[in-house]
Amino acid sequence: MSVAGRHARVLLLLCFVSTAACNMFAFTEEPSERAGKSDGYCSRILRAQSNRKEVNNEFRLRVEGDPESYQPGSTYRVLLTASSPSYFRGFTIIAQREGAEGDRDEDYIGNFQIIDEEETQFMTNCPPAVTESTPRRHTSIQVFWTAPRSGSGCVLLKASIVQKRIIYFQDEGSLTKRMCEKESLYGDTTEKPLLDCCACGTAKYRVTFYGNWSEKIHPKDYPRRANHWSAIIGASHSKSYVLWEYGGLASDGVKQVAELGSPVKMEEEIRQKGDDVLTVIKMKAQWPAWQPLNVLTLLRRRAAPSAEFSVDRTRHIMSFLTMLGPSPDWNVGLSAEDLCTKECGWAQKVVQDLIPWDAGTDSGVTYESPNKPTVPQEKIRPLTSLDHPQSPFYDPEGGAITPVARVVVERIARKGEQCNIVPDNVDDIVADIAQEEKEEDDTPETCIYSNWSPWSACSSATCEKGKRMRQRMLKAQLDLSVPCPHTQDFEPCMGPGCSDEDASTCMLSEWITWSPCSASCGIGSRSRERYVKQFPDDGSVCTLPTEETETCVVNEECSPSSCLVTEWGEWDVCSATCGLGMKRRERLVKMPPTDGSICGAEVLEVEKCMMPECHTIPCMLTPWSDWSDCSVTCGKGLRTRQRKLTSPVELGDCTEELEQVEKCMLPECPIDCVMSEWTEWSECNKSCGKGHTIRTRMVKLEPQFGGDSCTETIQRKKCKIRKCNRGQANSDEKKRRKEQREKRRSKTSRVDATSEHPGCKMRPWSSWTDCTKLCGGGIQERLMTVKQRFKTAQLSSCKDRKEIRACNVHPC
């Protein structure tokens, strides 16, 4: 390879990193006049393919779902991948019209959309191309590509790869994807959108929605509970009004439909558009969601929802949307479907399979994800099978999402003069020929034309002479050897009000019959109408009256006591949206009785009304929250959990519980020892000298579960009455011993008689008290009280007695 060739190859490598380097390469490779001319286009990328290396399928450019053709205006996900262990540092992707050289802007068709700005960007010196944002290792990248409008032919999606110092280009094989426009399966479909509609008159359509969102076709996690389609809302409108569109931001109305299934705000937005809207389209919600696609409509358990709407030359676009419920913000619908054909007619039938799209207002990834507002709000985009692993549409292979619904828009009537040249059926041809036979025309019989269109407005708005035009279209030429004359006709004209012709050129219908008199008695009024059949040829306004009103009299000899009332007004809307309700209508008193009496005429009527049978609409609720902490720190308590209602208010009251309470059990609470109060101190155990006295208490409740232990149950303290004399001490000691012997005798013999003591008479001993402890050593006591005291008794020898003994001395 020459030095110049190597230099060009290095610059080509830099082309993927630097726009300046790419420009240098363009002039270095071809410093000719042609290179300079093509600078600013992407032709340099194509010219460099002469230095390519075969790829051997380690790199692949594919379109999600691997479609063989594209639907005009539809959006596709384009993926560029490298098989392990290969990778690439740089890349370029273009979409080129098949057979084009690539040195003009119009050679590149469709539009790319960036998904990840950190990975991809548009090429600075080649705006139709997508390239890397930073030259680092990549194993895969993805972008959106929106197909061009109808009639664009086939397209070649091409990729070039930079790996290390090697540049790969490929015209065929795994780095090139060829797609051609998908042929319509349903006849005459329309382009999106025509800049101006040339159709004449108006057309009436019926739109029918078939839901096919069922568990059978669903990848995973089909919501068996509360699956439904929300009420459908849309309109026929002008091209200047956009209900919703891919790449746009959802309005407040679209957001409420997408997240809550509520059409109220969306309808309010539509009606605020005034003359931009011709018909508001509304269809009822569907519970459950699945509506089988079956041609045997009459055999279905329930009919698919449908609605009728009209279009005209200025409002020929139709849009609608409906929510997949429950879901974060997922919907299906049509956006700006143009029903006006380029042949100046109205489309006969449009059939579209619908895949779900994301409104960009909620970041949930599953059907029942909790509310998670997307801040800032993102653009509306179609859902894909690679959005999130937890998505119910996720497919690791990146396959296409199966359509979840189908919409059929079918023309059911046309009004006014039609100017399209292509008849829809044999009846249209016959009707046109029959009308042509009535007109005097010198055209050959072998030439079949449509009717002349109405005259256009005059080119002059003043009384200066101008021109106006009408046209007709050649439908069939039965004999090619016989030429068919002109299809356009011109004539002179002047501005409105300047015509010499009489205003009688304004053709009106006959008067319709008079309306009933507004009074049931006495003087009232009545009216009649007619309509304009043909306006003046000069385009002026028809000045002849189209409405007349006159006085009418009913029963001139009305009684003075009678009253005059108006006609009944319209019935109010039924008070119930489903089931049995009431409706009412009113009329007013125009003239009360002249004699001052009360008007006896009935001015209010009420009657029952029956709406379709009520169906219970399942509540839409958030998942249960986690259980709260137990209300106590030990023992038995309560805990709660909550959930919220997400159903819109207009769906009715919800009786589902929103809070649950249950019992909870924690480790038992510690129980401390419980003891009785202390007894009174006992008498001193000595009658003289040093002794001691005691008091006791009992254990009422033993400690449990680690509670505080019990303390002492007996306390002693010293006591001293008086000093003992020696003789007296011996005497006292003898007395004490004698008393003890008597006590023992009393215990042995169980004598119940009254015990005798010197100077007093005693009652018998009481029974022993309960032991103060169950184990570990307690005490018992008993008492002997004085029954009678003699005059000769000494205080020290005649007093109450108490005995104490140990009990339950065994260890615990």
Side-chain angles (χ1 to χ4, degrees), residues 532-595:
V532 178
K533 295 177 64 176
Q534 179 179 324
F535 285 94
D537 292 340
D538 58 3
S540 61
V541 177
C542 189
T543 58
L544 298 177
T546 58
E547 184 176 356
E548 285 185 349
T549 303
E550 69 176 15
T551 302
C552 55
V553 179
V554 178
N555 189 9
E556 294 182 357
E557 298 179 357
C558 291
S559 171
S561 61
S562 63
C563 60
L564 299 180
V565 293
T566 63
E567 293 295 321
W568 286 107
E570 296 292 333
W571 287 103
D572 290 343
V573 178
C574 189
S575 63
T577 56
C578 62
L580 183 63
M582 302 295 291
K583 64 180 182 179
R584 52 180 280 175
R585 65 176 183 175
E586 297 178 348
R587 59 181 177 180
L588 302 176
V589 176
K590 295 177 62 177
M591 181 184 297
T594 56
D595 59 2

Coordinates of all heavy atoms in Angstrom, one line a residue, residues 532-595:
V532 N -80.8 26.3 1.5 CA -80.1 26.7 0.2 C -79.7 25.5 -0.5 O -78.9 24.7 0.0 CB -78.9 27.6 0.4 CG1 -78.3 28.0 -0.9 CG2 -79.3 28.9 1.2
K533 N -80.2 25.3 -1.7 CA -79.9 24.1 -2.6 C -78.6 24.5 -3.4 O -77.8 23.6 -3.7 CB -81.0 23.7 -3.4 CG -82.2 23.2 -2.7 CD -83.4 22.8 -3.6 CE -83.0 21.7 -4.6 NZ -84.2 21.3 -5.4
Q534 N -78.5 25.7 -3.9 CA -77.4 26.1 -4.7 C -77.1 27.6 -4.5 O -78.0 28.4 -4.6 CB -77.7 25.8 -6.2 CG -76.5 26.2 -7.1 CD -76.9 26.0 -8.6 OE1 -77.5 25.0 -8.9 NE2 -76.4 26.8 -9.4
F535 N -75.9 27.9 -4.2 CA -75.5 29.3 -4.0 C -75.2 29.9 -5.4 O -75.0 29.3 -6.4 CB -74.2 29.4 -3.2 CG -74.4 29.1 -1.7 CD1 -74.2 27.8 -1.2 CD2 -74.8 30.1 -0.8 CE1 -74.4 27.6 0.1 CE2 -75.0 29.9 0.5 CZ -74.8 28.6 1.0
P536 N -75.2 31.3 -5.4 CA -75.0 32.0 -6.7 C -73.7 31.6 -7.3 O -72.7 31.3 -6.6 CB -75.0 33.4 -6.3 CG -75.8 33.5 -5.0 CD -75.6 32.2 -4.3
D537 N -73.7 31.5 -8.6 CA -72.5 31.1 -9.3 C -71.3 32.0 -9.1 O -70.1 31.6 -9.3 CB -72.8 30.9 -10.8 CG -73.7 29.8 -11.1 OD1 -73.8 28.9 -10.2 OD2 -74.3 29.8 -12.2
D538 N -71.6 33.3 -8.8 CA -70.5 34.2 -8.7 C -69.9 34.1 -7.3 O -69.0 34.9 -7.0 CB -71.0 35.7 -9.0 CG -72.1 36.1 -8.0 OD1 -72.5 35.3 -7.2 OD2 -72.6 37.2 -8.2
G539 N -70.3 33.2 -6.5 CA -69.7 33.1 -5.2 C -70.2 34.0 -4.1 O -69.8 34.0 -3.0
S540 N -71.2 34.8 -4.5 CA -71.8 35.8 -3.5 C -72.7 35.1 -2.5 O -73.1 33.9 -2.7 CB -72.6 36.9 -4.2 OG -73.7 36.3 -4.9
V541 N -73.0 35.8 -1.4 CA -73.8 35.2 -0.4 C -75.3 35.3 -0.8 O -75.8 36.2 -1.4 CB -73.6 36.0 0.9 CG1 -74.6 35.5 2.0 CG2 -72.2 35.9 1.4
C542 N -76.0 34.2 -0.5 CA -77.4 34.2 -0.8 C -78.2 35.0 0.2 O -78.1 34.8 1.4 CB -77.9 32.7 -0.7 SG -79.6 32.5 -1.4
T543 N -78.9 36.0 -0.3 CA -79.6 37.0 0.6 C -81.0 36.7 0.9 O -81.7 37.4 1.7 CB -79.5 38.4 0.0 OG1 -80.1 38.4 -1.3 CG2 -78.0 38.8 -0.1
L544 N -81.6 35.7 0.2 CA -83.0 35.4 0.4 C -83.2 34.7 1.8 O -82.4 34.0 2.3 CB -83.5 34.4 -0.7 CG -83.4 35.0 -2.1 CD1 -83.8 33.9 -3.1 CD2 -84.3 36.2 -2.3
P545 N -84.4 35.0 2.4 CA -84.6 34.5 3.8 C -84.8 33.0 3.8 O -85.4 32.4 2.8 CB -85.9 35.2 4.2 CG -86.6 35.6 2.9 CD -85.5 35.9 1.9
T546 N -84.3 32.4 4.8 CA -84.5 30.9 5.0 C -85.4 30.6 6.1 O -85.5 29.4 6.4 CB -83.1 30.3 5.1 OG1 -82.5 30.8 6.3 CG2 -82.2 30.5 3.9
E547 N -85.9 31.6 6.8 CA -86.8 31.3 8.0 C -87.8 32.3 8.1 O -87.6 33.5 7.8 CB -85.9 31.3 9.3 CG -86.8 30.9 10.5 CD -85.9 30.8 11.7 OE1 -84.7 30.9 11.7 OE2 -86.5 30.5 12.8
E548 N -89.1 31.9 8.4 CA -90.2 32.8 8.6 C -90.9 32.5 9.9 O -91.0 31.3 10.3 CB -91.2 32.7 7.4 CG -90.7 33.3 6.2 CD -91.8 33.3 5.1 OE1 -92.8 32.5 5.3 OE2 -91.7 33.9 4.1
T549 N -91.4 33.6 10.6 CA -92.2 33.4 11.8 C -93.4 34.3 11.7 O -93.4 35.4 11.2 CB -91.3 33.9 13.0 OG1 -90.1 33.2 13.1 CG2 -92.1 33.7 14.3
E550 N -94.6 33.7 12.2 CA -95.8 34.5 12.2 C -96.6 34.2 13.4 O -96.3 33.2 14.2 CB -96.6 34.1 10.9 CG -97.2 32.7 10.9 CD -98.1 32.4 9.7 OE1 -98.0 33.2 8.8 OE2 -98.8 31.4 9.8
T551 N -97.6 35.1 13.7 CA -98.4 34.9 14.9 C -99.5 33.9 14.6 O -100.0 33.8 13.5 CB -99.0 36.3 15.2 OG1 -98.0 37.2 15.5 CG2 -99.9 36.2 16.5
C552 N -99.9 33.2 15.6 CA -101.0 32.2 15.5 C -101.9 32.3 16.7 O -101.4 32.7 17.8 CB -100.4 30.8 15.3 SG -99.3 30.3 16.7
V553 N -103.2 32.0 16.5 CA -104.1 32.1 17.6 C -104.8 30.7 17.8 O -105.3 30.1 16.8 CB -105.2 33.2 17.3 CG1 -106.2 33.2 18.5 CG2 -104.5 34.5 17.2
V554 N -104.9 30.2 19.0 CA -105.6 29.0 19.3 C -106.7 29.3 20.3 O -106.5 29.8 21.4 CB -104.6 27.9 19.9 CG1 -105.4 26.7 20.2 CG2 -103.5 27.7 19.0
N555 N -108.0 29.0 19.9 CA -109.1 29.2 20.7 C -109.2 30.6 21.3 O -108.8 30.9 22.4 CB -109.1 28.2 21.9 CG -110.4 28.2 22.7 OD1 -111.4 28.8 22.2 ND2 -110.5 27.5 23.8
E556 N -109.7 31.5 20.4 CA -109.7 32.9 20.8 C -110.5 33.2 22.0 O -110.3 34.1 22.8 CB -110.3 33.8 19.6 CG -109.3 33.8 18.4 CD -109.9 34.6 17.3 OE1 -111.0 35.2 17.5 OE2 -109.2 34.8 16.3
E557 N -111.6 32.4 22.3 CA -112.5 32.6 23.4 C -112.0 31.8 24.6 O -112.7 31.0 25.2 CB -113.9 32.2 23.0 CG -114.5 33.0 21.9 CD -115.9 32.5 21.5 OE1 -116.3 31.6 22.2 OE2 -116.5 33.1 20.7
C558 N -110.7 32.0 25.0 CA -110.1 31.3 26.1 C -110.7 31.9 27.4 O -111.0 33.1 27.5 CB -108.6 31.5 26.2 SG -107.8 30.6 24.9
S559 N -111.0 31.0 28.4 CA -111.5 31.5 29.6 C -110.5 32.3 30.4 O -109.3 32.1 30.3 CB -111.9 30.3 30.5 OG -112.2 30.7 31.8
P560 N -110.9 33.4 31.1 CA -110.0 34.2 31.8 C -109.2 33.5 32.9 O -108.1 33.9 33.3 CB -110.9 35.3 32.4 CG -112.1 35.3 31.6 CD -112.3 33.9 31.2
S561 N -109.8 32.3 33.3 CA -109.1 31.6 34.3 C -108.1 30.7 33.8 O -107.3 30.0 34.5 CB -110.1 30.8 35.1 OG -110.8 29.8 34.3
S562 N -108.0 30.6 32.4 CA -107.0 29.7 31.8 C -105.6 30.4 31.8 O -105.5 31.6 31.9 CB -107.4 29.2 30.4 OG -107.5 30.4 29.6
C563 N -104.6 29.5 31.7 CA -103.2 30.1 31.6 C -102.5 29.6 30.4 O -102.8 28.5 29.9 CB -102.4 29.8 32.9 SG -102.2 28.0 33.1
L564 N -101.6 30.4 29.9 CA -100.8 30.0 28.7 C -99.5 29.5 29.1 O -98.8 30.1 29.9 CB -100.7 31.2 27.8 CG -101.9 31.8 27.2 CD1 -101.6 33.0 26.3 CD2 -102.8 30.8 26.4
V565 N -99.1 28.3 28.5 CA -97.8 27.7 28.8 C -97.1 27.4 27.5 O -97.7 27.3 26.5 CB -98.0 26.4 29.6 CG1 -98.6 26.7 31.0 CG2 -98.9 25.4 28.9
T566 N -95.7 27.3 27.6 CA -94.9 27.0 26.5 C -95.0 25.5 26.2 O -95.6 24.7 26.9 CB -93.4 27.4 26.8 OG1 -93.0 26.5 27.8 CG2 -93.3 28.8 27.1
E567 N -94.4 25.2 25.0 CA -94.3 23.7 24.7 C -93.3 23.0 25.7 O -92.5 23.7 26.3 CB -93.8 23.6 23.3 CG -94.7 24.1 22.2 CD -96.0 23.2 22.1 OE1 -95.9 22.0 22.3 OE2 -97.1 23.9 22.0
W568 N -93.5 21.7 25.8 CA -92.6 21.0 26.7 C -91.2 21.1 26.2 O -90.9 21.0 25.0 CB -93.0 19.5 26.7 CG -94.2 19.2 27.6 CD1 -95.5 18.9 27.1 CD2 -94.3 19.3 29.0 NE1 -96.4 18.8 28.2 CE2 -95.7 19.0 29.3 CE3 -93.4 19.6 30.0 CZ2 -96.1 18.9 30.6 CZ3 -93.9 19.5 31.3 CH2 -95.2 19.2 31.6
G569 N -90.2 21.2 27.1 CA -88.8 21.2 26.7 C -88.3 19.8 26.5 O -89.1 18.8 26.7
E570 N -87.1 19.6 26.2 CA -86.5 18.3 26.0 C -86.4 17.6 27.3 O -86.2 18.2 28.3 CB -85.1 18.4 25.3 CG -85.1 19.0 23.9 CD -85.8 18.1 22.9 OE1 -85.7 16.9 23.1 OE2 -86.3 18.6 21.9
W571 N -86.4 16.3 27.2 CA -86.2 15.4 28.4 C -84.8 15.6 28.9 O -83.8 15.7 28.1 CB -86.5 14.0 28.2 CG -87.9 13.6 28.0 CD1 -88.6 13.4 26.9 CD2 -88.9 13.5 29.1 NE1 -89.9 13.1 27.1 CE2 -90.1 13.2 28.5 CE3 -88.8 13.6 30.5 CZ2 -91.3 12.9 29.2 CZ3 -90.0 13.4 31.2 CH2 -91.2 13.1 30.6
D572 N -84.6 15.7 30.2 CA -83.2 15.7 30.8 C -82.6 14.4 30.6 O -83.2 13.4 30.3 CB -83.3 16.0 32.3 CG -83.7 17.5 32.6 OD1 -83.6 18.3 31.6 OD2 -84.1 17.8 33.7
V573 N -81.3 14.4 30.8 CA -80.5 13.1 30.7 C -81.0 12.3 31.9 O -81.3 12.7 33.0 CB -79.0 13.4 30.9 CG1 -78.2 12.1 30.9 CG2 -78.5 14.3 29.7
C574 N -81.0 11.0 31.7 CA -81.4 10.0 32.7 C -80.5 10.2 33.9 O -79.3 10.3 33.8 CB -81.4 8.6 32.2 SG -82.1 7.4 33.3
S575 N -81.1 10.1 35.1 CA -80.4 10.3 36.4 C -79.4 9.2 36.6 O -78.5 9.3 37.4 CB -81.3 10.5 37.5 OG -82.1 9.3 37.7
A576 N -79.6 8.0 36.0 CA -78.7 6.9 36.2 C -77.9 6.6 35.0 O -78.3 6.8 33.9 CB -79.5 5.6 36.6
T577 N -76.6 6.3 35.2 CA -75.7 5.9 34.1 C -75.9 4.5 33.6 O -75.5 4.1 32.6 CB -74.3 6.1 34.4 OG1 -74.0 5.4 35.6 CG2 -74.0 7.6 34.7
C578 N -76.5 3.7 34.5 CA -76.8 2.3 34.2 C -78.0 1.9 35.1 O -78.2 2.4 36.2 CB -75.6 1.4 34.4 SG -75.1 1.3 36.1
G579 N -78.8 0.9 34.6 CA -80.0 0.5 35.4 C -81.1 1.5 35.3 O -81.3 2.3 34.4
L580 N -82.0 1.4 36.3 CA -83.2 2.2 36.4 C -82.9 3.6 36.9 O -82.3 3.7 38.0 CB -84.3 1.5 37.2 CG -85.6 2.2 37.3 CD1 -86.3 2.2 35.9 CD2 -86.5 1.4 38.3
G581 N -83.4 4.7 36.3 CA -83.3 6.0 36.8 C -84.5 6.8 36.5 O -85.6 6.3 36.1
M582 N -84.4 8.1 36.6 CA -85.5 9.0 36.3 C -85.1 10.2 35.4 O -83.9 10.5 35.4 CB -86.0 9.7 37.7 CG -86.5 8.7 38.7 SD -87.9 7.7 38.3 CE -89.2 8.9 38.3
K583 N -86.0 10.7 34.6 CA -85.8 11.8 33.8 C -87.0 12.8 33.9 O -88.1 12.3 34.2 CB -85.5 11.4 32.3 CG -86.7 10.8 31.6 CD -86.3 10.4 30.2 CE -87.5 9.8 29.4 NZ -87.2 9.5 28.0
R584 N -86.7 14.0 33.6 CA -87.8 15.0 33.7 C -87.7 16.0 32.6 O -86.7 16.2 31.9 CB -87.6 15.8 35.0 CG -86.2 16.3 35.2 CD -86.1 17.1 36.6 NE -86.7 18.4 36.5 CZ -86.8 19.2 37.5 NH1 -86.4 18.8 38.7 NH2 -87.3 20.4 37.4
R585 N -88.9 16.7 32.4 CA -88.9 17.8 31.4 C -89.8 18.9 32.0 O -90.7 18.6 32.8 CB -89.4 17.3 30.0 CG -90.8 16.8 30.0 CD -91.2 16.5 28.6 NE -92.6 16.0 28.5 CZ -93.2 15.8 27.3 NH1 -92.5 15.9 26.2 NH2 -94.4 15.4 27.3
E586 N -89.7 20.1 31.5 CA -90.4 21.2 32.1 C -91.0 22.1 31.0 O -90.6 22.0 29.8 CB -89.5 22.1 33.0 CG -89.0 21.4 34.2 CD -88.1 22.3 35.0 OE1 -87.7 23.3 34.5 OE2 -87.7 21.9 36.1
R587 N -92.0 22.9 31.3 CA -92.4 24.0 30.4 C -92.8 25.2 31.3 O -93.0 25.0 32.5 CB -93.6 23.5 29.6 CG -94.8 23.1 30.4 CD -96.0 22.7 29.5 NE -97.1 22.2 30.2 CZ -98.2 21.8 29.6 NH1 -98.3 21.8 28.2 NH2 -99.3 21.3 30.3
L588 N -92.8 26.3 30.7 CA -93.0 27.6 31.5 C -94.4 28.2 31.3 O -95.0 27.9 30.3 CB -91.9 28.6 31.0 CG -90.5 28.2 31.1 CD1 -89.6 29.3 30.5 CD2 -90.1 27.9 32.6
V589 N -94.8 28.9 32.3 CA -96.1 29.6 32.2 C -95.8 30.9 31.5 O -95.1 31.8 32.0 CB -96.7 29.9 33.6 CG1 -97.9 30.7 33.5 CG2 -96.9 28.5 34.3
K590 N -96.4 31.1 30.3 CA -96.2 32.3 29.6 C -97.2 33.4 30.1 O -96.8 34.6 30.1 CB -96.5 32.1 28.1 CG -95.5 31.1 27.4 CD -95.8 30.9 26.0 CE -95.8 32.2 25.2 NZ -96.1 31.9 23.7
M591 N -98.4 33.0 30.4 CA -99.4 34.0 30.9 C -100.2 33.4 31.9 O -100.9 32.4 31.7 CB -100.2 34.5 29.7 CG -101.3 35.6 30.1 SD -102.3 36.0 28.7 CE -101.1 36.7 27.6
P592 N -100.2 33.9 33.2 CA -101.0 33.3 34.2 C -102.5 33.7 34.0 O -102.8 34.6 33.2 CB -100.5 34.0 35.5 CG -99.9 35.2 35.0 CD -99.4 35.0 33.7
P593 N -103.4 33.1 34.6 CA -104.9 33.4 34.5 C -105.1 34.9 34.8 O -104.5 35.5 35.7 CB -105.6 32.5 35.4 CG -104.6 31.3 35.6 CD -103.3 31.9 35.5
T594 N -106.0 35.5 34.0 CA -106.2 37.0 34.2 C -107.1 37.3 35.4 O -107.1 38.4 35.9 CB -107.0 37.5 32.9 OG1 -108.2 36.7 32.8 CG2 -106.1 37.4 31.7
D595 N -107.7 36.2 36.0 CA -108.5 36.5 37.2 C -107.7 36.3 38.4 O -108.3 36.3 39.5 CB -109.7 35.5 37.2 CG -109.3 34.0 37.1 OD1 -108.1 33.8 37.1 OD2 -110.2 33.2 37.1

